[in-house]
Structures are given as structure tokens and as C-alpha cells.
Amino acid sequence: NLFYYNNYDKLKGESKEEETKRISHEQTVKSGINALCPGAIFDPRAFEPCGYSMNAILFHSYSTIHITPESGSSYCSFETNQKVTSYKSLISNVIRTFRPKRFVMTLMADEAGLKEVRELPLTSSGAASKIVVPAPRAVAEATGMKQMLYKRSTVASIKVEDDCCCMMGNWVLKSDPSPEQIRRASKARGMTVA
């Protein structure tokens, strides 16, 4: 596992602080986390015996990741305050990096901010609520699946204050999607005129 501290070599003459800094950097690069926030200033931290945290800052935006790779109950979180009109590529990149079997997505925003978002699987229905990402090479070779299809199983929302909305959805990896299901979920949808 990438996030187990003892899986990395100890270098002779290296202080504990230098070792932790080097291992933290190696974990950031080997896992692909560095590609989630291109151009950002990273502050990663590897933990013994396992675990990882990272804070990244790019202009007025932050991203933070926490990983606990325990057998039977692994956990990973990605949080950001990036303001974009579509979260589709960011969500896809996070999923491709961590390849979860299931995940929860939470969004907190005021009503004006929600109106600026064009694409959001939390508020989409049908095929637009599904998320399709390319399968990593190892997964494709082992299973024959070239793409991974995540289907939203539940969604909930609540208004917290006057105009602050909190939305939460659960997605599950569909382990045996047919090529037709992948094609339909990937297809851009528009208005149909009959």
C-alpha cells in the first residue's frame, strides 16, 4: 500500500524529519495526488504506521486530503473550496486517483453559488447522475473493464440557514456495466424535440 510508512526505504544519514518529508513527497507523486491540484503549493504529511494528509493552496482556493488505509475500514476524504461552473472533471479526477468501490459526495453552497454550477451529479437526474471514469490499466487488465461506472444510490439535501444548502449523495461502483450502459451514461444529453 502506498500509504504505509514502512513500505519506503530508510536512507542512511537522513534525519526523521527529512525522511518524513521525502516519504510524504513520494506518496503525493506515486498516488497521483499532485495532479489533482496542478500549480498549487503542497504541504503533504505521511504518518506512521500508515496514513497521509495534504493541504494545497492555489490563489484563493484550498484542497485538503486525509487518508487512513486500514484493512476493512479504509477512509479517504478530498475537500476543496474551488469555485467552478462544472465539478465534473474534478470529481472524475478524484475518483480516478482513489478508485473507491463507493463514495459520498457532499456540497455546501449558498443558493447564488448553486445557480452558477452547470454540471453537478448531485442535482442531475437519470444518466447525468452517473459518473463514468476510465479504468486504471491494472483494473482493465484484471477485469476487462475499460471504464468504471458509478451509479448514484441516494441523495439528500437540507437548507441549513437562510440560504445555505447542504447536499449529500452516495455513489456505488457498478461492477458489471454493459458497454451499452457505459455508452448511455457517457453520452451528452440535450433537449429532445418530438
Side-chain angles (χ1 to χ4, degrees), residues 28-113:
T28 302
V29 173
K30 285 182 178 180
S31 65
I33 289 172
N34 60 321
L36 292 175
C37 311
I41 298 169
F42 282 84
D43 183 21
R45 171 78 172 153
F47 294 100
E48 284 188 86
C50 63
Y52 173 89
S53 287
M54 181 280 299
N55 294 303
I57 296 176
L58 181 63
F59 303 111
H60 298 290
S61 296
Y62 74 85
S63 296
T64 186
I65 293 174
H66 302 288
I67 300 170
T68 305
E70 301 288 337
S71 62
S73 62
S74 289
Y75 173 82
C76 176
S77 68
F78 175 87
E79 178 183 327
T80 188
N81 69 341
Q82 292 179 27
K83 293 180 183 179
V84 293
T85 57
S86 173
Y87 286 94
K88 190 174 183 177
S89 64
L90 178 61
I91 293 165
S92 293
N93 290 336
V94 171
I95 292 169
R96 273 199 326 248
T97 300
F98 298 109
R99 301 183 300 275
K101 291 181 183 173
R102 60 188 170 276
F103 67 91
V104 175
M105 183 187 320
T106 304
L107 174 71
M108 292 189 72
D110 61 21
E111 290 177 352

Side-chain angles (χ1 to χ4, degrees), residues 9 18 40 47 71 77 158 160 184:
D9 295 329
E18 292 168 332
F47 294 100
S71 62
S77 68
I158 187 170
V160 181
R184 282 197 322 256

